[in-house]
């Protein structure tokens, strides 16, 4: 069966590559038409896709899904339509003196790569499929997509809709098991985008590397929140709670842990609890609050809390209505704050990806900076405070994929900013002009004038006086 699926995917890849080569050069209007169709798919079937996501999660707010997955992807598609003419223009580059005077020319052309594979995740299954697809299409590529098996209903509906709005030689969706995903990552794409965990990202990169397929890896990690002493703890707490509880914390950019001044730990925790209570006065029957996606993920989170408690952490459940989660049949979990944490706890060793929030303290801001630098560079970093010099110290002394100041997560929603990680949190980026370039081949074109430049520069044998003169000229201080 696995071999049959691999053959099926190989056939689709061949179909797309053949169509891509036959159609070159394709007009920008053709690319725009594909983006318009992707937008139409989302607008026409957004509600159905949101219902499918709700079914897959067990409970996921349709309003949240409309905002994050449907509206976010539609607005990004419109952003691409607005800017792609400018992005696709060739750039003039300088040639060394005196070549320009003699008629030499240099330019850089952004050309489509061909067929781009997309391995998309379960946490925002539509957004993290269609957002990159908009730029893949803007750059003039075809695309094959393998969505997550964890969101089975959503993946099946996306496959059906894509088949309706696109020819198979333009965009195709392949569904199936982790074995199908593994086979997918070993295909001879012209580029491969993976969004998911760092551990799986390593395996994807290894499989792609065997074929020398370039990759964009959107991973994750433990994105820290630093609260400076100048922070408004109530306001910061509300914003942290919003980011931590959106999608029940199942976000690669969710604030993973807080680092707060030691004398303000109580105030920082109280601010988060107060913000969570205001937004989610109840949880179990609250459609606004998402469930954890599967039993396996739910058990992992419960095990993480139990491990922390066993090793000495104080566990604070933010449960405003005192609901009985232990006897609930669902997979809802209250925001769970961990204090007195240590680095040997699982919660401080793994990306949490759920509504669990460890809290560390510092006496000086450099302690917080050193802790972050002693660990893998995160996908996101968040700083709250009004002390400009402290903020700049944090930004200049740390490394992360992106930063939001005085809030969390929001930098990813800025269409004109590139989104990506660094090191273990990712390779490459999309969004912004950088995303168009990510899915394009930057092709250098140099045009030589009629005059014999090689002879004039002393490059042409037999070497002699002209050669030595050229060398001496270039080596002058």
């Amino acid at each position: 069966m696995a071999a049959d699926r691999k053959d099926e995917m190989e056939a689709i890849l061949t179909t797309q590559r053949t169509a891509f080569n036959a159609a070159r050069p394709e007009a920008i209007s053709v690319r725009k038409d594909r983006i318009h169709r992707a937008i139409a798919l989302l607008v026409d079937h957004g509600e159905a896709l949101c219902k499918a996501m709700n079914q897959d999660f067990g409970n996921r707010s349709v309003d949240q899904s409309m905002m994050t997955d449907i509206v976010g992807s539609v607005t990004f598609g419109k952003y691409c339509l607005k800017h792609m003419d400018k992005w696709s223009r060739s750039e003039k580059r300088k040639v060394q003196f005196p070549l320009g005077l003699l008629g030499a020319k240099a330019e850089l052309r952004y050309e489509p790569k061909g067929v781009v594979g997309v391995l998309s995740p379960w946490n925002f299954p539509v957004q993290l499929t269609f957002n990159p697809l908009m730029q893949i299409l803007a750059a003039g590529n075809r695309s094959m997509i393998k969505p997550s098996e964890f969101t089975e209903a959503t993946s099946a509906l996306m496959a059906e809709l894509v088949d309706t709005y696109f020819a198979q030689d333009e965009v195709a969706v392949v569904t199936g098991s982790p074995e199908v995903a593994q086979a997918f990552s070993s295909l001879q794409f012209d580029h491969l985008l993976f969004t998911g965990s760092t551990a799986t990202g390593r395996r994807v990169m290894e499989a792609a590397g065997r074929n020398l397929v370039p990759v964009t890896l959107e991973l994750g990690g433990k994105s820290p929140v630093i609260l400076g002493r100048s922070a408004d703890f109530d306001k910061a707490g509300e914003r942290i709670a919003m980011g931590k509880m959106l999608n029940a914390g199942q976000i690669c950019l969710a604030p993973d842990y807080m680092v707060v001044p030691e004398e303000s730990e109580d105030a920082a925790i109280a601010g988060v609890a107060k913000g969570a209570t205001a937004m989610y006065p109840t949880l179990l029957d609250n459609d606004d609050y998402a469930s954890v996606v599967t039993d396996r993920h739910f058990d992992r989170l419960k095990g993480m809390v139990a491990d922390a408690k066993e090793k000495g952490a104080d566990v604070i459940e933010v449960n405003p209505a005192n609901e009985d989660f232990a006897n609930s049949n669902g997979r809802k979990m209250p925001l769970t704050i961990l204090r007195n944490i240590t680095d040997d706890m699982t919660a401080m060793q793994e990306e949490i990806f759920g509504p669990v929030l460890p809290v560390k303290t510092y006496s000086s801001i450099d302690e917080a900076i050193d802790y972050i630098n002693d660990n893998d560079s995160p996908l996101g970093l968040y700083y709250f405070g009004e002390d400009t010099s402290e903020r700049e110290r944090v930004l200049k002394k740390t490394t992360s994929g992106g930063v939001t100041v005085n809030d969390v997560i929001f930098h990813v929603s800025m269409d004109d900013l590139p989104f990506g990680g660094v090191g273990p949190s990712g390779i490459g980026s999309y969004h912004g002009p950088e995303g168009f370039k990510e899915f394009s081949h930057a092709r250098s074109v140099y045009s030589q004038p009629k005059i014999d430049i090689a002879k004039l520069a002393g490059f042409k044998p037999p070497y002699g006086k002209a050669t030595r003169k050229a060398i001496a000229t270039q080596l002058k201080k």
Side-chain angles (χ1 to χ4, degrees):
M1 179 63 72
D4 292 343
R5 296 304 306 276
K6 179 76 178 289
D7 290 344
E8 173 195 341
M9 291 186 287
E10 293 275 14
I12 296 170
L13 177 58
T14 299
T15 297
Q16 290 201 354
R17 182 165 287 125
T18 300
F20 170 78
N21 289 330
R24 296 187 70 185
E26 237 170 16
I28 292 289
S29 60
V30 176
R31 305 183 190 184
K32 289 181 177 178
D33 173 66
R34 292 184 182 129
I35 295 174
H36 279 298
R37 278 184 274 151
I39 291 172
L41 182 158
L42 296 169
V43 172
D44 295 345
H45 302 281
E47 189 172 339
L49 287 163
C50 291
K51 288 178 178 177
M53 286 182 270
N54 181 58
Q55 177 185 334
D56 284 325
F57 275 75
N59 182 80
R60 191 181 199 248
S61 166
V62 169
D63 288 335
Q64 179 212 294
S65 294
M66 284 297 297
M67 288 186 291
T68 58
D69 286 73
I70 307 302
V71 172
S73 299
V74 168
T75 56
F76 188 65
K78 291 177 180 178
Y79 164 80
C80 291
L81 289 171
K82 181 178 180 181
H83 294 283
M84 58 191 288
D85 286 307
K86 179 176 65 177
W87 293 340
S88 60
R89 291 187 196 124
S90 61
E91 299 176 10
K92 288 185 178 180
R93 295 294 177 94
K94 292 181 179 180
V95 297
Q96 292 94 320
F97 179 84
L99 294 176
L101 298 177
L102 300 172
K105 295 179 181 178
E107 65 175 316
L108 189 64
R109 298 181 181 183
Y110 291 103
E111 300 182 349
K113 288 189 168 185
V115 181
V116 178
V118 177
L119 279 161
S120 56
W122 54 263
N123 58 326
F124 291 98
V126 176
Q127 182 207 91
L128 294 176
T129 297
F130 278 86
N131 245 325
L133 180 63
M134 297 298 183
Q135 284 199 309
I136 289 166
L137 297 177
N141 301 291
R142 312 294 169 113
S143 185
M144 290 175 63
I145 298 162
K146 167 60 179 76
S148 174
E149 66 278 2
F150 287 130
T151 45
E152 188 176 357
T154 308
S155 296
L157 182 55
M158 284 196 294
E160 177 187 332
L161 294 174
V162 165
D163 190 49
T164 301
Y165 282 74
F166 294 93
Q168 191 177 65
D169 64 12
E170 295 177 301
V171 183
V173 175
V174 179
T175 59
S177 65
E179 290 74 27
V180 173
Q182 186 177 358
F184 186 92
S185 64
S186 68
L187 296 176
Q188 186 69 60
F189 292 114
D190 300 293
H191 195 100
L192 179 61
L193 165 68
F194 167 78
T195 305
S197 72
T198 299
T200 305
R202 287 191 175 97
R203 294 195 293 272
V204 169
M205 189 173 185
E206 182 181 0
R210 295 190 193 104
N211 295 319
L212 297 180
V213 173
V215 295
T216 302
L217 302 179
E218 299 296 350
L219 307 176
K222 300 185 72 61
S223 298
V225 184
I226 298 178
L227 273 68
R229 288 186 164 89
S230 61
D232 180 328
F233 290 102
D234 279 349
K235 185 181 291 184
E238 182 180 49
R239 294 177 180 184
I240 293 164
M242 187 190 75
K244 191 62 174 176
M245 298 183 77
L246 177 69
N247 210 39
Q250 298 166 112
I251 308 174
C252 58
L253 277 169
D256 194 277
Y257 63 96
M258 290 199 306
V259 192
V260 304
E262 56 190 8
E263 73 277 9
S264 303
E265 183 180 19
D266 289 342
I269 291 172
V272 173
K274 181 180 175 183
T277 299
M279 289 181 286
Y280 302 98
T282 65
L283 296 167
L284 284 178
D285 295 322
N286 187 341
D287 289 341
D288 289 344
Y289 189 58
S291 299
V292 176
V293 69
T294 65
D295 290 340
R296 181 167 71 85
H297 287 79
F298 189 56
D299 290 342
R300 184 185 68 85
L301 289 166
K302 288 193 295 183
M304 190 176 282
V305 173
D307 171 79
K309 186 173 183 179
E310 183 181 321
K311 292 173 180 173
D314 294 329
V315 177
I316 304 165
E317 281 194 358
V318 183
N319 183 4
N322 293 315
E323 295 170 280
D324 184 3
F325 286 85
N327 293 314
S328 168
N329 292 325
R331 292 187 301 272
K332 286 197 173 182
M333 184 177 190
L335 175 62
T336 305
I337 299 171
L338 305 177
R339 61 188 299 176
N340 296 323
I341 56 169
T342 54
D343 288 346
D344 64 334
M345 296 173 183
T346 307
M348 293 308 295
Q349 295 174 347
E350 299 177 4
E351 182 178 8
I352 292 172
F353 226 72
V356 177
L357 183 64
V359 182
K360 284 185 69 71
T361 62
Y362 67 85
S363 58
S364 72
I365 196 67
D366 284 342
E367 282 182 43
I369 290 169
D370 290 344
Y371 183 81
I372 291 166
N373 288 338
D374 286 342
N375 292 279
D376 289 342
S377 298
L379 184 60
L381 183 144
Y382 309 117
Y383 172 82
F384 286 85
E386 302 305 321
D387 185 332
T388 304
S389 62
E390 182 180 82
R391 179 196 70 201
E392 286 304 306
R393 183 166 183 79
V394 169
L395 296 190
K396 289 176 179 177
K397 298 280 284 184
T398 60
T399 301
S400 67
V403 175
T404 294
V405 175
N406 285 326
D407 213 324
V408 297
I409 300 174
F410 265 88
H411 64 277
V412 72
S413 65
M414 301 299 108
D415 291 340
D416 208 40
L417 283 176
F419 165 60
V422 55
S425 60
I427 296 172
S429 61
Y430 61 95
H431 292 183
E434 291 79 6
F436 179 87
K437 293 176 181 179
E438 185 85 357
F439 300 122
S440 300
H441 169 55
R443 191 180 190 186
S444 301
V445 179
Y446 172 73
S447 298
Q448 192 74 288
K450 292 180 180 180
I451 192 168
D452 191 345
I453 296 294
K455 183 177 181 180
L456 186 68
F459 292 159
K460 182 181 289 186
Y463 300 126
K465 188 176 180 181
T467 305
R468 290 188 289 274
K469 182 179 178 182
I471 292 170
T473 300
Q474 294 302 322
L475 294 179
K476 281 182 180 177
K477 292 183 179 178

